[in-house]
Amino acid sequence: MAGVRIDLTRVEERLAELAALHPLDGLGSCRLALTDDDRAGRDLLITWMGDLGLDVGIDAIGNIVGRWSAGADEPDLPPVMTGSHLDTVATGGRFDGALGVVAGLEVIEALAASGARTRRPVAVAAFTNEEGSRFAPDMMGSLVYVGGLALEVALDTVGIDGARVGHELDRIGYRGARPVPGPAPHAFVELHIEQGPVLEHEGVTIGAVTGVQGISWQELVVTGQSNHAGTTPMALRRDAGHAAVAIAAGVRELVSVVGGRQVGTVGRLHLEPNLVNVVAGRATMTVDLRNIDEAALREAEKRLSELVTEVAATERVEIASRSLARFEPVEFDERIVSLVESTATGRGLTSRRLASGAGHDAQMMARVCPTGMIFVPSRQGISHNPAEFTEPGHLRAGVEVLADVISTLAADPDPGPGRAGAR
Ligand SMILES: [Zn+2]
């Protein structure tokens, strides 16, 4: 049953309503995970789900799942699930994450309005703390949902502001009763903005996402000796700032040596005491390494470790490293990837296959059910930025393809061809 008609205005209005909770310049928005802003976004979602008559459940890590069974001929079957996240980075846009959640609501609303019957129920999820900006690791809610991270460990996680996940969940009233790990859906499909320039550059509307890059996040703490900037001879310094910058430069170099699709970023660097006339005694920094190829990613990690050892010896500083997140590359279900392509073609839309450079909740769901993702273009590839923008026509295309893909999967016989791809 293809050709679901969606209401683009409703989608845009809901995205605007979410963004208006804590607006930033332009179209931007800030909803850091488990803050009052995040709570306000969650409250809106709960209201929308209630208006739609969904069966709403909140689990022990705060994931919100709304299930629509009213149109299902076999309401007790595992649902086809869609969704994404409502949290943003501190300088977020209005589409990253929110689009996937709002689109899921829209698909259900459109199906309900058309009087459509599906075989299976359809569910829409908003996962807790996907961004990882306040609490590491990122994709925390979906990881706990699939049993990849113990609930107690997640609840005990301390954020960059000293807050604890469990405490913040209680504070905003979103520590739910549903147990984790949660039940595996029949399939999971997430609509998301590309957050990269490929689709726009090639003039293609729909990305059929084949998988997600592996991610390795490390935090390095460099300890040297804080001292007077004028009286300390260069040869006697143990300069944590200099060591940190040498590592940052070395990361750029090792990325080019590993080559291929390797990327590397030093995104956070904090010096102490951070004063103009004092040699830094301490530096805290992060290194983000990603690759679609696991062996190459390991090579990059090995080279980083060698670099750190070398810099520590040269500058006579101590460097402690700690893993903040480590995920292997993920391949999505071939049948769903093809289904996204053929659905786009059926709608008269251009499409291409591509791998995701960013992490997504879908990569966690891929551990428990056949999974895929749909990308729509990001203007100039910009995201994690208030300037993030996706054209209305592309939003419409993405939600329509999502609706058709969900309709098709919801009609699957039992156990369903998609099950062949289950891991
Ligand atoms: Zn996202």
Side-chain angles (χ1 to χ4, degrees):
M1 180 195 49
V4 182
R5 287 173 63 88
I6 66 111
D7 181 345
L8 181 64
T9 306
R10 194 160 52 202
V11 170
E12 291 185 304
E13 282 174 357
R14 282 178 172 160
L15 290 173
E17 243 185 291
L18 281 167
L21 296 171
H22 182 160
L24 301 178
D25 290 354
L27 297 177
S29 189
C30 174
R31 280 189 308 280
L32 279 175
L34 309 183
T35 57
D36 289 347
D37 294 322
D38 186 17
R39 165 169 52 192
R42 290 162 172 267
D43 289 352
L44 260 185
L45 176 63
I46 297 282
T47 305
W48 292 332
M49 285 178 164
D51 291 348
L52 261 174
L54 306 189
D55 167 23
V56 180
I58 302 169
D59 69 25
I61 193 66
N63 297 318
I64 302 169
V65 178
R67 179 184 172 113
W68 180 63
S69 306
D73 291 333
E74 297 186 51
D76 296 329
L77 287 178
V80 172
M81 190 184 277
T82 183
S84 191
H85 59 98
L86 289 180
D87 69 311
T88 68
V89 296
T91 54
R94 73 170 54 184
F95 302 97
D96 179 358
L99 173 61
V101 177
V102 166
L105 286 176
E106 180 56 33
V107 169
I108 292 173
E109 194 150 357
L111 287 171
S114 72
R117 302 297 302 174
T118 59
R119 177 157 188 260
R120 298 163 186 283
V122 177
V124 54
F127 294 105
T128 295
N129 183 33
E130 191 274 345
E131 294 290 2
S133 299
R134 190 178 179 210
F135 303 100
D138 53 351
M139 298 166 281
M140 180 183 277
S142 47
L143 185 58
V144 171
Y145 186 94
V146 302
L149 177 66
L151 176 64
E152 312 77 66
V153 175
L155 293 175
D156 256 350
T157 304
V158 176
I160 54 172
D161 53 3
R164 200 171 287 273
V165 167
H167 176 266
E168 289 296 272
L169 272 174
D170 286 332
R171 191 185 64 78
I172 66 168
Y174 275 91
R175 194 203 285 241
R178 296 253 169 115
V180 286
H186 173 69
F188 183 83
V189 187
E190 178 175 359
L191 171 64
H192 205 283
I193 56 169
E194 181 197 345
Q195 301 181 276
V198 175
L199 294 177
E200 181 184 69
H201 183 70
E202 297 188 0
V204 169
T205 301
I206 294 292
V209 186
T210 52
V212 179
Q213 288 193 116
I215 297 182
S216 167
W217 280 4
Q218 287 183 51
E219 181 186 70
L220 304 175
V221 177
V222 185
T223 308
Q225 177 64 55
S226 173
N227 221 327
H228 195 293
T231 62
T232 316
M234 298 309 289
L236 297 183
R237 292 182 184 207
R238 297 173 55 224
D239 185 342
H242 180 72
V245 171
I247 290 170
V251 165
R252 178 59 78 92
E253 233 175 81
L254 77 83
V255 163
S256 69
V257 171
V258 173
R261 304 278 295 276
Q262 182 66 44
V263 290
T265 305
V266 172
R268 188 151 65 83
L269 171 58
H270 178 70
L271 301 182
E272 290 168 64
N274 206 27
L275 295 170
V276 64
N277 56 354
V278 182
V279 175
R282 194 176 155 95
T284 305
M285 65 194 298
T286 53
V287 181
D288 172 322
L289 298 172
R290 303 187 195 207
N291 203 315
I292 196 74
D293 180 75
E294 174 65 17
L297 183 56
R298 287 196 186 154
E299 173 67 18
E301 288 175 311
K302 183 173 142 270
R303 286 178 181 271
L304 173 62
S305 152
E306 289 165 0
L307 170 69
V308 165
T309 307
E310 186 193 315
V311 169
T314 310
E315 194 64 23
R316 295 175 300 116
V317 294
E318 268 138 46
I319 306 180
S321 75
R322 176 167 80 98
S323 171
L324 296 180
R326 179 63 167 90
F327 300 116
E328 289 191 10
V330 172
E331 260 182 75
F332 287 143
D333 185 78
E334 173 54 32
R335 175 193 170 224
I336 297 182
V337 179
S338 308
L339 182 58
V340 170
E341 284 183 309
S342 60
T343 302
T345 306
R347 285 265 186 182
L349 300 164
T350 49
S351 73
R352 65 159 279 169
R353 291 181 172 227
L354 79 175
S356 174
H360 294 291
D361 293 309
Q363 81 191 70
M364 299 308 164
M365 297 307 290
R367 297 187 187 188
V368 297
C369 67
T371 296
M373 287 189 81
I374 302 162
F375 275 175
V376 286
S378 295
R379 187 168 67 190
Q380 292 175 12
I382 293 172
S383 78
H384 286 186
N385 183 321
E388 179 181 290
F389 185 73
T390 297
E391 282 175 31
H394 292 157
L395 292 178
R396 170 182 290 284
V399 181
E400 286 179 343
V401 170
L402 178 69
D404 291 353
V405 167
I406 287 176
S407 296
T408 302
L409 293 171
D412 275 351
D414 205 22
R419 274 295 178 216
R423 275 157 288 213

